Amino acid sequence: MSLTREIKDYALDLGYNAVGITTAEPFTLVAEELTKRRDAYRWVIDGRLKMLESTTPKNVMPAARSIICAVYDYAREGFPPELVGRLGRLYQSRSYTAPRNRIHGARRQLFREFLEGKGLTVMLGPDLNVPERMAAARAGAVTFGRNNFAYTKSAGSFVVITAFTVDAELEYDEPTIEAPCPENCRLCIDACPTGALEPLKLNPRKCIAFNCFMTQDDYAPSLSSHIPPEIREKMGSWIHGCDLCQEVCPRNQRKLKTNPPVSEFLTLIAARFDLRKVLHLTDEYYESVLRPVAYNYIRGKKYFQRNAAIALGNSGDRSHVPFLTEAMSEPEPLVRGYAAWALGRLGGEEARAALEKALLAESDDGARTEIESALTA
């Protein structure tokens, strides 16, 4: 049996549902697009991810010869309705960049150890961040959708791709760099409330998922914790990720209709999930409810609290006003500011009284500005 066949067989045995192999040659089209749209993607170009540099894998790994793309179907289990619309399915699945001591991180580590046991030198993210969707399409494992996601026939776009770059020449697959979407379909584009999508292009600054977790101070160049008000009011109840453009896609409907069983663990998380508790986030609640399903990007509890405030403000439910009023006493100015926005969004005499009282005591300029804006909303 050839080494390529051994690699593919072991990947499938581990639970990946597709695997393809391509060369480690430069991703010229991706590099050109990143360069052309540098302002929008500066956070992944100049930040720690070094995405532009990684479009030529040999810049990071001079011995690179092949890229093995392993694709995992994360919608093979169901998702509780209490979490849908609040946490992206990808994050509920716990399969994206999972730590080694979790089942999905262990799968990735087992595959890496298998490759190293065959005498290969291996690099993968975050050390080498090749453009995984393009790599997998070049490796014949996925196609594209107009919503910019990668697709397989069996899993739709509900897939996680992990690219393992190695120092050996292997047998390469035929590329499938195409987007076989229904002709003239615009469902994903029209479903995006912020207008972040156009065919095969994304403006990350408008993306709900981006605004949920990339907007953090000191996370990467050109980023801050500020979410523009016009984006906030369109974020709905999402606090980590967004699935809207995937939910409407015709290529995903068969997968969405399968209704696989929900795991006991996700059922437990769903029963404990409460946006009000996210707003008043304790260490215990973070560790037991949020961290298991939202460990990927957000590095400070205050950002979860900010997102919860936005979701409560967008709910239209004034029963949340006392909880948002209480949040006006939080030690983090960021939380106070977004709680003020939410109070202004909900409106009413009780919310206005809370804002007027908070304004008298507020010492932080940013939070004060949010309070003043909420009072004039």
Side-chain angles (χ1 to χ4, degrees):
M1 184 184 296
S2 71
L3 177 58
T4 297
R5 187 69 267 161
E6 285 188 77
I7 289 170
K8 289 186 173 183
D9 285 358
Y10 188 67
L12 296 175
D13 184 31
L14 284 176
Y16 293 107
N17 75 309
V19 59
I21 303 176
T22 186
T23 70
E25 292 304 305
F27 294 87
T28 306
L29 291 177
V30 177
E32 290 175 354
E33 193 67 21
L34 285 173
T35 301
K36 187 189 307 180
R37 305 177 68 199
R38 191 180 192 104
D39 286 346
Y41 284 94
R42 186 180 163 203
W43 54 285
V44 293
I45 295 174
D46 299 332
R48 58 187 177 85
L49 296 178
K50 304 293 183 186
M51 287 294 292
L52 184 56
E53 182 181 359
S54 296
T55 58
T56 300
K58 292 181 181 180
N59 283 342
V60 182
M61 181 183 178
R65 295 291 180 272
S66 303
I67 303 173
I68 304 162
C69 298
V71 184
Y72 179 76
D73 169 10
Y74 66 77
R76 60 181 63 185
E77 66 172 290
F79 303 99
E82 298 90 344
L83 298 181
V84 171
R86 293 174 172 179
L87 300 171
R89 290 172 174 84
L90 170 61
Y91 308 106
Q92 292 185 51
S93 75
R94 296 96 64 208
S95 61
Y96 179 59
T97 64
R100 294 182 184 183
N101 64 343
R102 306 298 286 273
I103 189 66
H104 298 293
R107 179 185 299 107
R108 185 178 60 214
Q109 183 61 22
L110 284 169
F111 193 48
R112 178 174 194 159
E113 290 174 359
F114 172 82
L115 296 173
E116 291 173 340
K118 294 296 178 180
L120 305 179
T121 300
V122 184
M123 284 192 74
L124 65 160
D127 300 314
L128 173 54
N129 292 297
V130 300
E132 290 179 323
R133 294 177 189 180
M134 181 58 77
R138 206 167 76 178
V142 303
T143 58
F144 288 109
R146 289 193 180 127
N147 58 6
N148 299 276
F149 281 89
Y151 284 72
T152 67
K153 288 183 179 179
S154 62
S157 63
F158 302 112
V159 296
V160 174
I161 303 165
T162 306
F164 300 81
T165 303
V166 300
D167 62 345
E169 291 190 8
L170 301 170
E171 300 165 37
Y172 302 125
D173 294 289
E174 289 295 319
T176 49
I177 305 174
E178 56 190 43
C181 294
E183 187 176 358
N184 300 320
C185 181
R186 288 181 50 90
L187 288 175
C188 60
I189 296 167
D190 295 338
C192 179
T194 62
L197 286 173
E198 57 183 282
L200 299 173
K201 286 188 178 180
L202 168 73
N203 181 346
R205 305 289 177 161
K206 291 184 176 182
C207 176
I208 289 175
F210 174 95
N211 281 282
C212 280
F213 41 60
M214 291 302 179
T215 47
Q216 300 180 59
D217 293 318
D218 303 320
Y219 189 83
S222 78
L223 298 184
S224 75
S225 61
H226 177 69
I227 300 175
E230 64 272 17
I231 298 292
R232 299 176 204 175
E233 62 188 31
K234 295 176 181 177
M235 289 172 66
S237 58
W238 296 101
I239 68 164
H240 195 80
C242 176
D243 289 333
L244 293 175
C245 66
Q246 297 184 85
E247 289 174 344
V248 300
C249 177
R251 294 169 66 187
N252 279 333
Q253 295 314 301
R254 183 177 64 176
K255 188 67 174 178
L256 287 170
K257 291 173 183 176
T258 57
N259 293 321
V262 178
S263 72
E264 291 301 320
F265 181 72
L266 269 190
T267 299
L268 183 66
I269 295 294
R272 295 172 176 172
F273 188 83
D274 186 333
L275 283 173
R276 292 171 170 180
K277 291 183 179 180
V278 179
L279 176 66
H280 298 287
L281 191 55
T282 65
D283 289 343
E284 189 279 331
Y285 192 81
Y286 170 71
E287 291 293 337
S288 64
V289 178
L290 283 184
R291 189 174 184 183
V293 292
Y295 54 81
N296 308 88
Y297 294 109
I298 295 180
R299 297 293 179 262
K301 290 192 299 181
K302 63 182 179 181
Y303 301 112
F304 283 115
Q305 293 176 275
R306 173 199 63 188
N307 295 350
I310 293 172
L312 292 172
N314 286 332
S315 70
D317 184 353
R318 287 183 177 171
S319 71
H320 297 316
V321 167
F323 296 87
L324 290 163
T325 299
E326 185 180 348
M328 297 302 297
S329 298
E330 283 281 332
E332 283 288 350
L334 180 72
V335 180
R336 299 198 300 271
Y338 280 78
W341 177 86
L343 286 168
R345 178 99 163 126
L346 290 174
E349 292 182 6
E350 185 181 1
R352 184 170 187 85
L355 288 167
E356 289 174 344
K357 181 179 179 180
L359 183 62
L360 296 174
E362 186 56 64
S363 59
D364 179 81
D365 290 342
R368 188 176 184 84
T369 298
E370 291 285 356
I371 296 171
E372 291 171 343
S373 296
L375 284 168
T376 58

